[in-house]
Amino acid sequence: MKLTYGDLLAELKDGARVALMIRHAERPHIDRTDPTFGESLALTPAGQAAAFDLGTLLAPMSGDVEFHSSPMNRTRETARQIALGMGIAAPAIREWEELGNSSFYFTCQRELFEAFKGHDIYPMMDGYLHGKPLAGLGDLYAASDRLEEWTDRHHTRRLAIFATHDLYTAAFLTARNAAEFTATNWIRFLESAAIIDRPDGTRRYAYIQLAR
């Protein structure tokens, strides 16, 4: 299912409870020789502005929102800028290795780095999402189950924002049949995987896209 952030806000206004696993905003190019996958990279000015603007859209939820982030600079800044856009001047942002380089999808960060080094990673990720094994990554579906269980445990407000990374967001959406990604059709900055619990007790999964 594909929705916009406007659609998602309408769901929230109708009483839904939502966990957003959001890809961080725009950052500079990652050096492929960096084994931390760009841990110290900050957002670009355009990325900061885009995250703030998304926060202004989500501002009606400012009284019932929580923020979680991977330990990487770009995800922390994304969560902070969204919060500022929502009018939250001093947001509490909980950091979790599970949203970063200790992801449920990883079996070995070093093996994945070695697999990616010197290659275009998007065809490799395309293969992984379509069932091809990739060194350093585990079973797509088992990891997605663990990620969903983990978000359920840490989701305490009506809107939970989990600022994370494209690999995990795309993997979760693929495992839940909510979207399909290829090397030429990759998830964009600030797009999300959403777990939507509706007032009638049903759970839905959606790919939250920016307005195009």
Side-chain angles (χ1 to χ4, degrees):
M1 176 187 298
K2 296 180 181 179
L3 300 175
T4 67
Y5 281 103
D7 297 328
L8 187 73
L9 189 59
E11 292 270 4
L12 286 159
K13 288 179 177 177
D14 284 343
R17 186 172 180 267
V18 174
L20 275 182
M21 288 177 275
I22 187 167
R23 186 187 180 189
H24 56 77
E26 183 185 79
R27 44 97 177 122
H29 181 72
I30 293 177
D31 180 354
R32 296 302 180 201
T33 66
D34 179 0
T36 72
F37 301 107
E39 185 172 1
S40 63
L41 287 178
L43 298 182
T44 64
Q48 291 179 342
F52 184 93
D53 289 345
L54 177 57
T56 63
L57 176 65
L58 297 175
M61 294 304 301
S62 61
D64 203 356
V65 64
E66 63 190 359
F67 298 93
H68 306 265
S69 171
S70 87
M72 294 192 178
N73 279 349
R74 59 188 182 271
T75 50
R76 290 197 307 266
E77 287 192 11
T78 296
R80 182 173 181 274
Q81 288 297 326
I82 292 172
L84 292 174
M86 296 178 77
I88 303 169
I93 303 170
R94 298 186 68 183
E95 293 183 20
W96 304 94
E97 290 287 352
E98 290 88 346
L99 296 171
N101 286 343
S102 293
S103 160
F104 295 107
Y105 295 94
F106 281 16
T107 56
C108 178
Q109 179 182 337
R110 171 56 64 176
E111 286 185 5
L112 184 63
F113 169 70
E114 292 296 335
F116 280 165
K117 190 166 61 175
H119 296 89
D120 182 351
I121 70 170
Y122 296 107
M124 299 175 74
M125 283 305 306
D126 184 347
Y128 173 68
L129 297 181
H130 290 86
K132 184 177 180 179
L134 181 57
L137 294 178
D139 181 78
L140 176 74
Y141 297 95
S144 296
D145 289 346
R146 292 174 63 201
L147 176 58
E148 185 169 354
E149 292 166 1
W150 183 88
T151 58
D152 283 344
R153 290 199 305 272
H154 297 290
H155 184 175
T156 64
R157 309 298 292 271
R158 277 221 298 127
L159 175 60
I161 293 176
F162 296 88
T164 185
H165 304 272
D166 56 338
L167 190 161
Y168 320 137
T169 305
F172 185 82
L173 286 166
T174 300
R176 295 298 181 256
N177 296 313
E180 182 172 351
F181 298 99
T182 68
T184 58
N185 176 36
W186 199 245
I187 189 168
R188 298 192 299 170
F189 295 121
L190 289 178
E191 294 189 330
S192 300
I195 302 172
I196 304 170
D197 291 320
R198 307 192 75 190
D200 63 5
T202 58
R203 170 165 283 192
R204 298 196 298 167
Y205 306 97
Y207 175 21
I208 310 300
Q209 297 180 301
L210 297 169
R212 297 175 186 249

